[in-house]
Amino acid sequence: MKVARQAVQYAAEQLGFSALGVAPAGIDQGDALEQWLNDGCHAGMHWLERHLPLRQNPALLLPGVRSVIMLTYEYPRKDARRSTGSVARYAQGEDYHKLLAPKLADLDETLQFYGGSQKCFSDSGPVSERFFAAAAGLGWIGRNGLLVRPRGGSFCFLSCILTTLQLPADRPMHNHCGSCRRCEQACPTHALQNGRCDARRCLAYWTIESKQLSAPPDIQKAMRGYLYGCDACQEVCPWNHLPPPHAVDSHLLMPARMAAMPQDELAGLRVNEWGHLLSSSPMQRTGSDHLQRNIRSFSVRPPS
Ligand code: B12
Ligand code: SF4
Ligand code: SF4
């Protein structure tokens, strides 16, 4: 099935993916996820508990699965709103789910030509994407918990294709974090410990996923200035300061109006204006009420 791999690799390059790797689907995932769940690190994301059996066994998602194809797609390396309330780089432009789904469907079609059945996801399914990306030799899991690549660092989306085809697999890479601990030291809430992220303390969780209207006081204090997500543990990573491996898709850049809008103007927008401003953004999934919460409760300093 070398030829199928070559074909899908070529097609992925044409579609703008920056790298592709393959891991065997049946590889032992260890008990890191179960341990993380048992320790309560998933905070209020209870769907992660429900997905555990599927995550541990990709054959429940696609009977007969033999290989997992992992792909990277670059997102912007600059925060377009740094001085006006930061938005995580991955969420600056259009919704990546919508951008990547048709590209993955194209790759599915390529693989069907070689007799494969596929299931494709990009942050949209119960697959341990970081685990498989590391197993597919695309990089290593850094102390910030993310997939870090020797060319390009961690500023990328991961996508995966489960396939029934037996494709030639890649070798995992050594971990190159060495003695560096910059990400742990830079985390505003000390959410990173022993190479894993405790969502109960992570600002990405509190600004994107949490349904609560307020956070514990120390977290709330750290949230000021964070409108949506957090990149602190990536900004300091030396591997993110090297040139990107591929140009960034212009759909993922922040529109100028959103980049320039001050926080108080954002906070004053009505629901329909929010809907219009964020109509194609991944931020819309969080809902305007929660974004307003981030701005009001977390981002704006109370008047002194
Ligand atoms: C839930 C989730 C979150 C949660 C929890 C974060 C976390 N650290 O797990 C919250 C909301 C906090 C979050 C935040 C962010 N997320 Co998020 N998130 C996810 C999601 C949906 C699941 C992750 C998960 O299951 N975590 C639990 C841990 C335990 O599982 P895991 O990361 O898969 O780890 C596996 C391996 O590490 C392995 N493992 C670890 N140690 C060891 C040791 C041994 C011996 C073995 C065998 C295995 C092993 O086992 C684990 C289970 O298989 C994934 C998409 C996906 N389906 O995978 C995106 C994903 C991880 N997120 C992503 C991003 C971009 C982010 C943010 C940067 C967004 C932001 N800027 O605000 C932050 C970064 C926070 C951080 N430092 O991790 C990207 C990461 C891209 C990359 N380069 O790695 C992903 C892959 C989405 C995507 N498709 O692009 N996220
Ligand atoms: S995303 Fe922010 S809060 Fe979460 S682990 Fe990284 S630096 Fe810490
Ligand atoms: S900042 Fe240092 S320790 Fe953290 S992921 Fe990057 S290289 Fe590894």
Side-chain angles (χ1 to χ4, degrees):
M1 276 293 147
K2 202 172 161 191
V3 62
R5 178 175 168 145
Q6 281 168 343
V8 73
Q9 184 133 10
Y10 176 76
E13 274 167 31
Q14 298 303 306
L15 290 163
F17 289 97
S18 47
L20 177 151
V22 176
I27 189 170
D28 182 8
Q29 296 184 37
D31 62 357
L33 174 60
E34 202 170 357
Q35 198 59 55
W36 187 78
L37 291 169
N38 286 343
D39 292 344
C41 295
H42 56 309
M45 297 179 287
H46 300 295
W47 44 275
L48 283 162
E49 289 165 43
R50 289 195 298 275
H51 287 171
L52 181 63
L54 297 172
R55 289 273 297 263
Q56 287 174 327
N57 184 6
L60 295 176
L61 289 168
L62 179 67
V65 61
R66 288 195 181 85
S67 309
V68 181
I69 303 173
M70 292 301 309
L71 300 127
T72 55
Y73 200 86
E74 303 307 300
Y75 62 68
R77 304 172 89 79
K78 285 203 179 118
D79 179 354
R81 283 186 55 87
R82 178 170 286 287
S83 56
T84 45
S86 81
V87 171
R89 287 158 177 77
Y90 86 89
Q92 307 242 335
E94 290 181 18
D95 191 335
Y96 57 99
H97 300 95
K98 291 184 192 150
L99 181 77
L100 296 174
K103 293 176 188 286
L104 294 171
D106 274 11
L107 297 179
D108 177 9
E109 230 172 81
T110 303
L111 293 160
Q112 281 176 34
F113 180 77
Y114 293 93
S117 295
Q118 282 69 234
K119 278 264 166 73
C120 307
F121 305 103
S122 186
D123 201 14
S124 54
V127 179
S128 292
E129 293 177 333
R130 290 185 276 201
F131 171 80
F132 278 109
L138 292 178
W140 65 93
I141 295 170
R143 285 203 173 90
N144 57 11
L146 297 165
L147 180 87
V148 182
R149 302 159 301 160
R151 276 193 69 219
S154 59
F155 288 142
C156 64
F157 298 110
L158 299 180
S159 301
C160 67
I161 304 177
L162 308 183
T163 176
T164 52
L165 296 175
Q166 180 93 53
L167 301 177
D170 294 284
R171 281 166 182 266
M173 196 178 279
H174 287 292
N175 185 307
H176 292 288
C177 284
S179 58
C180 174
R181 292 193 172 267
R182 287 183 210 188
C183 49
E184 290 177 352
Q185 288 154 359
C187 176
T189 52
H190 309 290
L192 294 172
Q193 264 158 31
N194 305 321
R196 63 181 204 172
C197 162
D198 186 341
R200 289 169 295 189
R201 301 200 59 77
C202 178
L203 296 186
Y205 171 75
W206 284 103
T207 55
I208 301 171
E209 295 287 340
S210 173
K211 305 285 176 261
Q212 283 176 235
L213 288 176
S214 62
D218 60 329
I219 304 278
Q220 188 150 335
K221 203 169 157 208
M223 281 172 93
R224 288 186 182 142
Y226 289 89
L227 175 57
Y228 189 87
C230 168
D231 282 334
C233 57
Q234 299 192 85
E235 283 164 355
V236 294
C237 180
W239 299 97
N240 278 334
H241 298 158
L242 298 172
H246 195 282
V248 173
D249 187 326
S250 58
H251 292 97
L252 295 171
L253 300 174
M254 185 175 272
R257 180 166 175 241
M258 178 66 184
M261 193 173 282
Q263 279 184 30
D264 49 356
E265 201 179 315
L266 266 176
L269 290 177
R270 282 197 249 331
V271 172
N272 62 336
E273 293 169 317
W274 267 106
H276 185 64
L277 185 70
L278 302 177
S279 58
S280 57
S281 158
M283 284 195 263
Q284 209 188 34
R285 292 157 65 91
T286 298
S288 70
D289 46 344
H290 286 98
L291 286 175
Q292 299 276 6
R293 168 203 67 185
N294 293 351
I295 296 175
R296 292 215 183 85
S297 322
F298 304 143
S299 311
V300 179
R301 285 179 190 281
S304 50

